[in-house]
Amino acid sequence: MNAIVALCHFCELHGPRTLFCTEVLHSPLPQGAGSGDISGHNEPAEEEEGGIQMSSRIRSHSPAEGASADSSSPGPKKSDMCEASGKICGCRSLAGGHPGYVSHDKETSIKYVSHQHPNHPQLFSIVRQACVRSLSCEVCPGREGPIFFGDEQHGFVFSHTFFIKDSLARGFQRWYSIITIMMDRIYLINSWPFLLGKIRGIIDELQGKALKVFEAEQFGCPQRAQRMNTAFTPFLHQRNGNAARSLTSLTNDENLWACLHTSFAWLLKACGSRLTEKLLEGAPTEDTLVQMEKLADLKEESEGWDGSEEEEKPSSQPDVVEGQELSKSSPETSLMPDCNSWNVAHRRLSVFRSLRHMRQVLGASAFRMLAWHVLMGNQVIWKAQDMDLVQSAFDVLRTMLPIGCVRIIPYSDQYEEAYRCNFLGLGPHVQIPPHILSSEFAVLVEVRAATRSSLYPTLFDDEQSLNKYEFLVTSGSPVAADRVGPTILNKIEAALTNQNLSVDVVDQCLVCLKEEWMNKVKVLFKFTKVDSRPKEDTQKLLSILGAAEEDNVKLLKFWMTGLSKTYKSHLMSTVRSPTSSECRN
């Protein structure tokens, strides 16, 4: 993650100061930031959490670096720092000759470098400005807590201010802040909960150590009573007489800065790896939205069970799965991860590999009739002894429809009404009501044992399972050969008959066709259901969409049932809002 984490302090003499900062280096360390690392063969490296190698091998300054430190360093001048009795005081973290800390991430070859100030002048200016703002004007109510500020030019800052107990300080406490600076505003905002929790943990640890020191000092020499008994002296005189103590003194922890370096380095690595960018090629499709809604329903249903055993349903009421088949035959195994083993076996037993394969098996006219009923939303019934054959057929046919339009009962021992499913698998001896057999809203595919004269010619070695069957497709409303049919059906058949297109290309063509017609469905839904336009305007719209034919209109109305709840609720909430109604008027 391209960011800087810094600890800042409000000095009573000099105002806001940067005490300690950790930055990320993706390239070889620049001069003055670790290029002169001591080899340290006798000092073993210590493995830290997250793959970061924290070592005590710290760079040593060359004479040239030491000579030019006061003149060329981007940090504040020596005269500006708090110094008393040769000790490190409130404005300094590391001693003048201390080289800083370096950690190596072996996984990414990234180095995390910590010092009092960034070595790069531009970074120093950015950190300096963020430090001043975090301890002056950009403060949350109560002066203690998190806040966000920044701009495109100077970066965006997550700042958490806090107090540290000090028995010698005015008000018995000193003001600090931990800031995280980066140029990516969205990333920083999305990381707010993570940063707040981790930085809060660092602050609690610092405050806990300082509180122990404060209580011990107050027990030995109470400062409050001593100050009340002391004659009034000007504040400036008293402040100059008592230089601010360093944070290591306030916490009584000589290894404080090494620990802070480890914490800041881990924070940068963990925050950078917890969020990953994904390329989205546009808005989510309706199929994606429906899948997300189904997944949410499954989670809600599983939570509602509350650990109780699921009651077995009688065989007379088989499960219906909208948008996908039963879990064991659903190709979207990501939604049903507990059924992966079944799917592997199912793919081995699959007999229909694609729509093109099914068209070759059934024949062009029979396939066209079957596909027409599928696209129109009529009930498709398969009667067969082989359950795997029926399920593989549904796997293939369902690819022509949006997920929201698919309601499947893969196999049942009795007929189920059309309102429950539009794909129904039945055993060979299940009776179908006569009115269904003669209905124009249903199509029946009977799978029978093939006679020797009607054996299906085997084109491939793995088609032996189909060679023993013959398929009879019947309907109360057969599709005439000269019937134009829906436009999408004609395009699907054109793609299937084009031998220059591979099966994968045909699948992508099918996805594009479905998305094209779902966009028309969205327009029609908003036009008729949301805006409530008259029929004359609707006919004009259908003509513009190229869907004025009867079959196309039926298809659009059926596909309208496959729209996601998210899309429908979004449109309805938009039309109910006052602004939208005013714009429409």
Side-chain angles (χ1 to χ4, degrees), residues 93-115:
S93 56
L94 306 178
H98 198 289
Y101 300 92
V102 180
S103 290
H104 304 265
D105 186 354
K106 297 184 294 183
E107 297 177 357
T108 59
S109 300
I110 292 177
K111 296 182 180 180
Y112 299 90
V113 181
S114 295
H115 209 276

Side-chain angles (χ1 to χ4, degrees), residues 137-153:
C137 55
E138 305 290 353
V139 181
C140 65
R143 300 182 67 194
E144 191 171 21
I147 196 171
F148 176 89
F149 60 89
D151 52 58
E152 296 287 347
Q153 181 179 0

Side-chain angles (χ1 to χ4, degrees), residues 18-244:
T18 304
L19 283 182
F20 192 77
C21 69
T22 302
E23 56 183 312
V24 180
L25 296 181
H26 297 269
S27 57
L29 289 175
Q31 183 179 3
S35 58
D37 286 354
I38 301 176
S39 58
H41 296 290
N42 297 327
E43 298 179 358
E46 178 184 355
E47 281 294 326
E48 293 293 334
E49 183 179 357
I52 300 178
Q53 180 179 346
M54 165 72 180
S55 74
S56 55
R57 296 176 299 169
I58 316 170
R59 69 177 180 84
S60 60
H61 287 284
S62 63
E65 285 178 316
S68 60
D70 293 337
S71 59
S72 61
S73 173
K77 296 180 180 180
K78 185 176 180 180
S79 59
D80 293 337
M81 306 302 295
C82 292
E83 290 189 288
S85 303
K87 298 181 180 179
I88 301 177
C89 301
C91 276
R92 291 202 65 89
S93 56
L94 306 178
H98 198 289
Y101 300 92
V102 180
S103 290
H104 304 265
D105 186 354
K106 297 184 294 183
E107 297 177 357
T108 59
S109 300
I110 292 177
K111 296 182 180 180
Y112 299 90
V113 181
S114 295
H115 209 276
Q116 179 154 354
H117 306 283
N119 288 310
H120 195 281
Q122 186 177 2
L123 291 180
F124 171 80
S125 176
I126 292 176
V127 173
R128 170 64 178 165
Q129 185 181 54
C131 170
V132 172
R133 294 180 65 179
S134 70
L135 293 172
S136 57
C137 55
E138 305 290 353
V139 181
C140 65
R143 300 182 67 194
E144 191 171 21
I147 196 171
F148 176 89
F149 60 89
D151 52 58
E152 296 287 347
Q153 181 179 0
H154 300 96
F156 299 93
V157 182
F158 172 88
S159 171
H160 197 303
T161 52
F162 61 99
F163 291 104
I164 292 291
K165 286 292 185 179
D166 183 2
S167 59
L168 300 181
R170 183 164 60 98
F172 299 104
Q173 61 186 9
R174 300 197 181 276
W175 202 19
Y176 292 84
S177 70
I178 295 179
I179 59 177
T180 303
I181 312 169
M182 68 170 58
M183 302 304 295
D184 193 336
R185 177 176 61 90
I186 300 299
Y187 198 101
L188 185 58
I189 291 176
N190 289 334
S191 302
W192 175 288
F194 175 82
L195 291 174
L196 179 60
K198 302 306 177 183
I199 291 179
R200 186 68 251 179
I202 297 174
I203 293 174
D204 290 342
E205 186 175 356
L206 292 176
Q207 290 178 331
K209 293 179 179 180
L211 182 60
K212 292 180 180 180
V213 175
F214 175 79
E215 292 176 345
E217 292 177 347
Q218 288 292 88
F219 180 79
C221 181
Q223 291 292 319
R224 187 179 299 275
Q226 181 179 352
R227 293 184 186 184
M228 294 178 65
N229 296 329
T230 302
F232 173 77
T233 55
F235 171 71
L236 288 178
H237 174 74
Q238 183 180 3
R239 184 180 63 174
N240 290 332
N242 296 323

Side-chain angles (χ1 to χ4, degrees), residues 14 24 47 55 57-58 68 141 154 173 192 218 338 341 357-358 363 383 388 393 402-404 406 426 467 499 504 570:
H14 305 106
V24 180
E47 281 294 326
S55 74
R57 296 176 299 169
I58 316 170
S68 60
H154 300 96
Q173 61 186 9
W192 175 288
Q218 288 292 88
D338 55 329
S341 59
H357 182 210
M358 179 177 287
K383 292 184 66 175
D388 294 328
I403 291 180
V406 178
L426 298 175
N467 194 34
Q499 297 300 323
D504 292 336
H570 171 70

Side-chain angles (χ1 to χ4, degrees), residues 427-491:
H429 304 297
V430 177
Q431 296 296 323
I432 300 177
H435 71 279
I436 299 297
L437 295 175
S438 59
S439 174
E440 61 178 334
F441 302 110
V443 59
L444 173 63
V445 181
E446 293 185 85
V447 184
R448 302 173 179 175
T451 61
R452 183 174 297 275
S453 59
S454 61
L455 285 178
Y456 170 74
T458 302
L459 301 179
F460 303 97
D461 294 337
D462 57 353
E463 288 186 357
Q464 295 295 334
S465 58
L466 289 178
N467 194 34
K468 56 185 178 181
Y469 297 123
E470 64 177 354
F471 301 87
L472 180 61
V473 183
T474 58
S475 174
S477 175
V479 180
D482 58 348
R483 185 168 182 172
V484 177
T487 304
I488 189 173
L489 175 57
N490 299 328
K491 292 184 178 181

Side-chain angles (χ1 to χ4, degrees), residues 253-298:
D253 186 358
E254 296 298 329
N255 297 321
L256 174 68
W257 305 118
C259 294
L260 278 181
H261 166 76
T262 303
S263 299
F264 287 174
W266 181 90
L267 184 68
L268 289 170
K269 176 180 173 61
C271 189
S273 59
R274 61 180 294 270
L275 296 178
T276 56
E277 295 181 349
K278 293 184 178 180
L279 177 63
L280 298 179
E281 299 178 355
T285 63
E286 284 301 300
D287 284 356
T288 302
L289 293 176
V290 171
Q291 285 178 339
M292 294 171 61
E293 292 172 355
K294 299 302 177 185
L295 181 59
D297 292 342
L298 287 174

